[in-house]
Amino acid sequence: GFKSLEGHMDMERVGITGHSAGGMACRDLGDVADVLIPMAGYAPVAKTRLKSTLVLAARNDTIVDYPGEVSAYKNCDVTPKRFASVDALGHLFCSDLCWVGARAGGVVQIALDAGIKVAGAFKSLGQNGCSYLNKTEGTHFLGPQCGWQLVNYASAAAFEEVLRCDSGMASKLTHIKSEMPIPAGCPKTTVFDFQEQLSAGVVV
């Protein structure tokens, strides 16, 4: 549990999110959290306290298998549950690692230039889906702000629905592909896929 946090936060309303290994760590926390939002971390296991989950993913993630994430969501027994993915971004869609040091070739290249040779072993992870690769690799990844927008918009809605008993934002998620405000430099097709199952047996 989280007894060390008692007195510092409202333990009756708990939401947990995590990315990659942190997202996978969310998998079994449905007995201590009301909302779980794994990002590039598959889907959680239904447990007694868990009231809702939102699975976030990136279409071009080659670190965590995207079809596997879709399958994990479909096999998830939590309701309500939602799935949203961003187009043309990779594993780092929800982080700032594609933004930090982009002009210098990214964090991996900065480390290599500083003589940290072991950084090369993490190259595929440390720049997965970064738009600064477009100039040298011929890729067509979106800017990091596109992923941030999806994460902020969708996760705020999922958290507010349960933790604040406010479904105003969550009700808009059904039409997130057309209603989510699009940041400058991002296409209207930023949201690649959205699925939701708000009650047992009803899939949208």
Side-chain angles (χ1 to χ4, degrees):
F2 299 99
K3 289 189 176 182
S4 62
L5 297 175
E6 291 181 2
H8 300 282
M9 62 180 289
D10 184 352
M11 300 304 294
E12 298 300 316
R13 293 184 291 180
V14 177
I16 298 176
T17 186
H19 171 236
S20 193
M24 295 179 193
C26 291
R27 175 178 171 82
D28 294 311
L29 296 180
D31 53 354
V32 294
D34 303 291
V35 185
L36 292 176
I37 304 181
M39 299 180 285
Y42 299 113
V45 174
K47 292 196 175 183
T48 54
R49 179 168 174 175
L50 187 58
K51 299 180 178 70
S52 174
T53 188
L54 166 67
V55 175
L56 295 176
R59 181 187 183 190
N60 296 106
D61 189 343
T62 58
I63 303 299
V64 174
D65 177 48
Y66 180 73
E69 292 197 82
V70 175
S71 177
Y73 166 77
K74 289 182 177 180
N75 292 325
C76 176
D77 293 327
V78 180
T79 51
K81 65 177 181 179
R82 298 179 174 93
F83 175 89
S85 61
V86 63
D87 194 16
L89 280 173
H91 190 66
L92 306 177
F93 73 98
C94 57
S95 78
D96 60 5
L97 289 177
C98 287
W99 175 75
V100 175
R103 293 183 180 179
V107 293
V108 173
Q109 190 60 51
I110 290 172
L112 291 171
D113 291 343
I116 305 174
K117 295 182 180 180
V118 70
F122 301 96
K123 192 171 184 179
S124 62
L125 173 62
Q127 59 185 25
N128 194 263
C130 293
S131 59
Y132 59 73
L133 295 174
N134 295 347
K135 293 181 180 179
T136 58
E137 305 294 331
T139 51
H140 301 280
F141 296 123
L142 300 179
Q145 73 276 14
C146 305
W148 299 340
Q149 178 68 354
L150 172 69
V151 171
N152 292 342
Y153 188 90
S155 60
F159 279 138
E160 289 177 7
E161 179 182 42
V162 175
L163 305 183
R164 296 183 58 186
C165 299
D166 184 349
S167 61
M169 274 288 291
S171 64
K172 296 181 180 180
L173 288 180
T174 301
H175 304 290
I176 188 174
K177 296 179 75 172
S178 59
E179 292 191 3
M180 184 183 80
I182 302 298
C186 302
K188 292 182 179 179
T189 55
T190 292
V191 180
F192 176 67
D193 187 23
F194 179 77
Q195 303 175 42
E196 62 181 1
Q197 182 171 342
L198 303 183
S199 60
V202 180
V203 181
V204 179

